[in-house]
Amino acid sequence: MFLTDPALRRIAADTNDVLPEHLWRHDTATLDPLGDLARLLHTTARAFTDSSITLDQTLTRVADLADTARHQVAARADLDLTAYQQALTDALTARERHLHLGATLVTTYHAWRNHRTLGDRTQRHLLLQPGDPSRGVAVLRQHEPHTWLVSPDAEAATAVDIPYPDRVVGDVTEGHLWTPTAYTDPQHRHTQPGIAYRLPECDDLASACRSLLRWWHLRHSAAWRNRTPDQLTPAELAHLAS
């Protein structure tokens, strides 16, 4: 699963850049302005990760105390808020620090990214819902000059409820629009076209990838009823392409 690191998750949410690791680490030994930016970004990312842990701990403390307070109210219609008030103050302080570090992280990342080209041209990583890492990541591998094989990571497969984490679910082809074709084995396009399903064209790459996942969700549901995409209702087709 991608984006398990808090710093990478925040960068993806703000920029839609999905990084497999802290790629700037490879520049930290460089003695030039790029290296300076990489070292600053590395320090900020580590501080942001530590801040994420601290914020989670303080919010958990607030939640635990709030639950205790609810039980006190139910038991004797009264409660002691002393510890709760301190925990809430700690949480608000941690949140302010986290907001500052998050803004610094993204600003520093932009500065570093302006001088660095990422990855190879045959593989891409894409948020399935731009700006929302919780919907998971699609891994795209170039299959033909304008066609990419699509595999959802575990978070994406769970979000859509399909049994294909880290497996090919089809391809998307770039033309005037994006055309998704659903299958679980690239050979099916040529040897078993009956189980390779051409889906409605989509306006952009992310919606084309989402269409593949939504098709397989439908395909594994009771609503499928052995239908092909040509037999779906207009509402179902619109949902696939949205």
Side-chain angles (χ1 to χ4, degrees):
M1 186 171 71
F2 279 84
L3 304 180
T4 57
D5 177 87
L8 297 183
R9 204 168 184 88
R10 177 57 183 272
I11 288 169
D14 279 51
T15 70
N16 289 315
D17 284 351
V18 178
L19 308 182
E21 58 160 322
H22 292 189
L23 295 177
W24 52 83
R25 291 187 303 107
H26 304 294
D27 294 327
T28 54
T30 304
L31 300 179
D32 60 13
L34 179 62
D36 293 338
L37 287 171
R39 286 185 289 275
L40 179 59
L41 180 53
H42 184 59
T43 300
T44 306
R46 293 182 63 179
F48 183 82
T49 296
D50 290 343
S51 173
S52 299
I53 295 170
T54 299
L55 184 58
D56 180 72
Q57 291 171 340
T58 58
L59 291 175
T60 298
R61 174 66 174 157
V62 169
D64 290 343
L65 288 171
D67 192 54
T68 299
R70 290 178 58 251
H71 287 296
Q72 289 177 348
V73 170
R76 53 191 179 87
D78 194 12
L79 72 161
D80 179 7
L81 287 176
T82 305
Y84 184 82
Q85 289 172 333
Q86 184 58 54
L88 186 58
T89 298
D90 291 344
L92 291 173
T93 301
R95 176 181 177 273
E96 288 301 315
R97 171 174 166 75
H98 197 66
L99 288 174
H100 172 72
L101 283 170
T104 303
L105 174 71
V106 173
T107 298
T108 309
Y109 173 76
H110 277 303
W112 172 80
R113 183 70 174 82
N114 286 339
H115 301 279
R116 171 58 69 198
T117 301
L118 300 181
D120 74 61
R121 297 170 181 261
T122 63
Q123 180 166 296
R124 304 166 68 174
H125 303 102
L126 180 77
L127 288 184
L128 279 161
Q129 188 65 50
D132 184 4
S134 71
R135 305 303 295 178
V137 172
V139 179
L140 294 91
R141 296 180 176 86
Q142 192 167 29
H143 182 53
E144 295 172 355
H146 300 286
T147 299
W148 301 78
L149 297 177
V150 179
S151 303
D153 74 345
E155 193 165 19
T158 298
V160 187
D161 190 23
I162 60 173
Y164 301 124
D166 303 314
R167 287 183 53 188
V168 171
V169 294
D171 67 44
V172 290
T173 300
E174 183 179 12
H176 176 64
L177 297 172
W178 287 89
T179 303
T181 303
Y183 50 75
T184 55
D185 184 335
Q187 295 300 317
H188 291 168
R189 276 198 92 165
H190 308 290
T191 62
Q192 295 180 276
I195 55 175
Y197 307 95
R198 184 183 172 108
L199 305 179
E201 292 181 326
C202 300
D203 292 333
D204 55 56
L205 178 57
S207 60
C209 292
R210 291 196 302 270
S211 181
L212 292 173
L213 273 62
R214 287 171 176 169
W215 165 258
W216 288 114
H217 174 78
L218 175 63
R219 174 68 175 74
H220 287 280
S221 73
W224 177 46
R225 300 191 301 277
N226 293 316
R227 293 178 296 165
T228 67
D230 292 339
Q231 297 169 315
L232 299 183
T233 68
E236 288 172 324
L237 290 172
H239 176 66
L240 286 180
S242 65

